[in-house]
Amino acid sequence: MEDMSRHGDSFATALEAMKASIGADNVLTQDLADYGDPFGPPGEWYRPGAVLLPSSVEDVQAILRIANEHGTPLWTSSQGRNKGYGGGAPRVSGTFAVSLRRMNKVLEVDEENCMALVEPGVRFFDLYDHLRKIGSRLWMSVPDLGAGSVIGNALEHGVGYTPIGDHFANHCGMEVVLPDGDIVRTGMGGMSNPHNWLIYPHSCGPSWDGMFTQSNYGIVTKMGVSLFPAPEVYAPGWFTLDNEEHFGTFLEVLRPLMIDGTIPNQPMIINAVCAASAFGERKQWYEGKDPIPEEVLDRIAATPGFGRWVMRFALYGDAPVVAHNRTKIERALTAIPGGAVSFDQYDGQNLPELTNPHHRVQAGVPSMALDQMTRWYGGEEGGHIGFSCAMPIAGKDGIAIRDLTRNLLNERGLDYSAAIIVGKRSMIHVALVVFDTKNDQQTREAYAVTKAMLEPAAKLGYGEYRSHLDFMDEVAALYDFNNNAQRRLAERIKDCLDPNGILSPGKQGIWPADYR
């Protein structure tokens, strides 16, 4: 873990300059817990030295100017709600944390083309409330927890669960402030008066948008995000599998349904422990210190709606199309031994108040109800780390990563809780490493076992698509083709755009030259 000791005197001078530039009320030096890692172990654990709260692009430019003048690093977050991956905490402890929460305007909603232009402080709750306030009939896409930033989630390749659930793939147009304070608008935003900035994602020449995802090359201050028309029919569905033996079969049957678009959204598959954690704490099922035993898992799986594995998914569209796809799905999935399918159905254009949080999320309605999953061990003080590998939608891959992560967790006395997010041709297996943050030993075991998963998963060919800040260097090192060519390219770009190394040093293992 890096710290700010090398910047002590310059930090104090820069702090006063920041107060003079953006206002002392917008520079926080106390009560900073909400801007760190909410689940980290106690002590010197990736803590900001001060928090800066800009409210405009001009404020962001001023902060960058001062940081460059004094050589004091910054760590940027939109909302800092990246739970399970480090929150808004900086990799260099004592750094200025730049929180963009005050830049929270929905700047435009284009009803005809189903797009919105937002600032980075706009939460999913904020965008939803704005759409309702203006009487929009458009739906949006949300992740399981709606308190995060729309832009921040997309830049971390986060996902939602509607047909536009791949959030970065469904963005269009970005405004970025570079480390030297220069402003770039990507795509058609490169023109001074574009009519299609939020409609067509490219310009003539290179497309720059992707280089600002999971990177430290700039601060995104605006982005276009996709919306979609309310469907005639919204039909959330459930598939339950009562055994482990046919888990691989299930994934093989699921793959063609995803590729051909029969299932149009991004389903989530969860195991019995994860399903139970959405409704209550571990002690309701088992009080032992050892991993939850098979007979208890069988009891959980027998709970109506659970199973050893359960998948939520949804259908959207005209009634005949939904009916056709529903029949096709039922025929395919119920042929799996131990499989069962059920559906609910709603008028998408007159949606009632949905009480089931899974149904809400798949309808683009933000919620925080599923935050209950972090409380499996520690109740209100529960925490989790996401170990998130991308892989094909294939039985052999799902079984391999299931067995690897389950065995490693069980060896450390932790339960195996899994959530698999399924895309059109790939899936992300998220091992939810849950723990009690009040239990120092269990907390440290959780971080240690997550780190221990990295290399064995890489040997099987599975790389994390997103990393907790404590493992960013290790994850970057495992992308080792041609002597880590990806990281070497990232460092070359970093040195060019940010020669003083002030913007988010260490993000995704990309360190400035001075730190390398």
Side-chain angles (χ1 to χ4, degrees), residues 5-14:
S5 57
R6 71 176 80 181
H7 300 288
D9 292 339
S10 57
F11 181 85
T13 306

Side-chain angles (χ1 to χ4, degrees), residues 385 414 433-435 441-451:
I385 308 167
L414 295 168
V433 184
V434 287
F435 54 93
Q441 180 180 353
Q442 191 181 61
T443 298
R444 296 185 187 280
E445 284 289 341
Y447 279 87
V449 71
T450 308
K451 191 173 290 189

Side-chain angles (χ1 to χ4, degrees), residues 159-372:
V159 297
Y161 303 98
T162 66
I164 55 172
D166 185 342
H167 291 158
F168 186 71
N170 285 283
H171 93 286
C172 189
M174 296 167 63
E175 179 184 86
V176 186
V177 183
L178 300 179
D180 65 357
D182 201 10
I183 300 174
V184 174
R185 288 186 174 178
T186 65
M188 287 291 163
M191 299 179 67
S192 59
N193 185 31
H195 288 277
N196 53 356
W197 185 30
L198 305 184
I199 305 303
Y200 184 72
H202 311 297
S203 60
C204 186
S207 294
W208 302 110
D209 300 55
M211 70 182 288
F212 299 109
T213 64
Q214 293 194 9
S215 78
N216 48 15
Y217 300 148
I219 298 175
V220 178
T221 51
K222 295 180 182 66
M223 190 173 78
V225 298
S226 295
L227 308 169
F228 69 107
E232 179 184 341
V233 173
Y234 166 54
W238 294 92
F239 169 75
T240 57
L241 181 66
D242 68 7
N243 62 81
E244 292 284 353
E245 290 76 13
H246 290 283
F247 173 62
T249 307
F250 161 43
L251 295 176
E252 292 295 319
V253 172
L254 177 62
R255 182 175 61 248
L257 297 174
M258 296 303 303
I259 290 175
D260 71 9
T262 301
I263 298 177
N265 74 327
Q266 299 207 130
M268 177 183 280
I269 305 166
I270 58 178
N271 71 344
V273 169
C274 192
S277 71
F279 293 92
E281 297 179 29
R282 186 180 195 261
K283 62 186 178 184
Q284 297 174 226
W285 298 96
Y286 187 60
E287 296 274 10
K289 303 293 186 183
D290 54 321
I292 202 161
E294 286 294 312
E295 60 268 21
V296 177
L297 291 175
D298 287 337
R299 186 154 50 90
I300 294 173
T303 303
F306 282 15
R308 276 297 185 124
W309 292 90
V310 57
M311 178 177 74
R312 73 177 191 203
F313 62 101
L315 302 178
Y316 311 77
D318 296 342
V321 175
V322 169
H324 170 81
N325 287 338
R326 175 173 174 168
T327 300
K328 184 177 176 181
I329 291 165
E330 289 172 335
R331 183 169 59 245
L333 294 180
T334 56
I336 302 168
V341 178
S342 64
F343 281 93
D344 291 286
Q345 187 160 311
Y346 302 98
D347 178 351
Q349 296 174 359
N350 294 283
L351 201 64
E353 185 70 27
L354 300 172
T355 57
N356 186 315
H358 296 283
H359 291 180
R360 289 171 63 86
V361 164
Q362 293 185 119
V365 181
S367 169
M368 288 298 291
L370 293 177
D371 196 35
Q372 172 66 37

Side-chain angles (χ1 to χ4, degrees), residues 178-180 211-212 217-218 492-500:
L178 300 179
D180 65 357
M211 70 182 288
F212 299 109
Y217 300 148
R492 290 163 67 185
I493 296 171
K494 180 66 174 172
D495 293 345
C496 178
L497 291 179
D498 186 11
N500 295 322

Side-chain angles (χ1 to χ4, degrees), residues 150-162:
V150 175
I151 288 181
N153 181 271
L155 296 182
E156 291 293 328
H157 293 298
V159 297
Y161 303 98
T162 66

Side-chain angles (χ1 to χ4, degrees), residues 15-182:
L15 180 65
E16 295 307 312
M18 296 292 185
K19 291 178 181 178
S21 179
I22 66 172
D25 290 346
N26 301 316
V27 179
L28 310 182
T29 56
Q30 296 180 336
D31 302 321
L32 307 183
D34 194 40
Y35 300 90
D37 181 357
F39 305 137
E44 299 298 305
W45 181 264
Y46 301 110
R47 54 172 181 76
V51 175
L52 310 177
L53 299 168
S55 64
S56 66
V57 171
E58 291 75 20
D59 281 354
V60 170
Q61 290 176 302
I63 287 169
L64 288 165
R65 175 182 53 78
I66 295 167
N68 275 296
E69 287 175 358
H70 296 277
T72 49
L74 310 169
W75 184 273
T76 306
S77 68
S78 297
Q79 275 285 335
R81 308 295 184 190
N82 202 13
K83 287 190 171 184
Y85 298 100
R91 289 211 62 193
V92 179
S93 196
T95 290
F96 284 113
V98 181
S99 172
L100 304 175
R101 294 181 188 181
R102 294 178 66 223
M103 297 178 67
N104 57 2
K105 299 183 183 66
V106 179
L107 299 168
E108 180 183 343
V109 174
D110 183 340
E111 289 283 335
E112 290 74 24
N113 294 301
C114 303
M115 294 293 295
L117 182 65
V118 301
E119 291 184 327
V122 173
R123 305 171 305 152
F124 291 94
F125 281 113
D126 298 329
L127 180 55
Y128 180 80
D129 289 345
H130 182 83
L131 293 174
R132 301 287 76 78
K133 180 179 179 180
I134 65 174
S136 174
R137 302 287 288 177
L138 299 175
W139 283 22
M140 54 188 281
S141 180
V142 302
D144 283 304
L145 303 181
S149 160
V150 175
I151 288 181
N153 181 271
L155 296 182
E156 291 293 328
H157 293 298
V159 297
Y161 303 98
T162 66
I164 55 172
D166 185 342
H167 291 158
F168 186 71
N170 285 283
H171 93 286
C172 189
M174 296 167 63
E175 179 184 86
V176 186
V177 183
L178 300 179
D180 65 357
D182 201 10

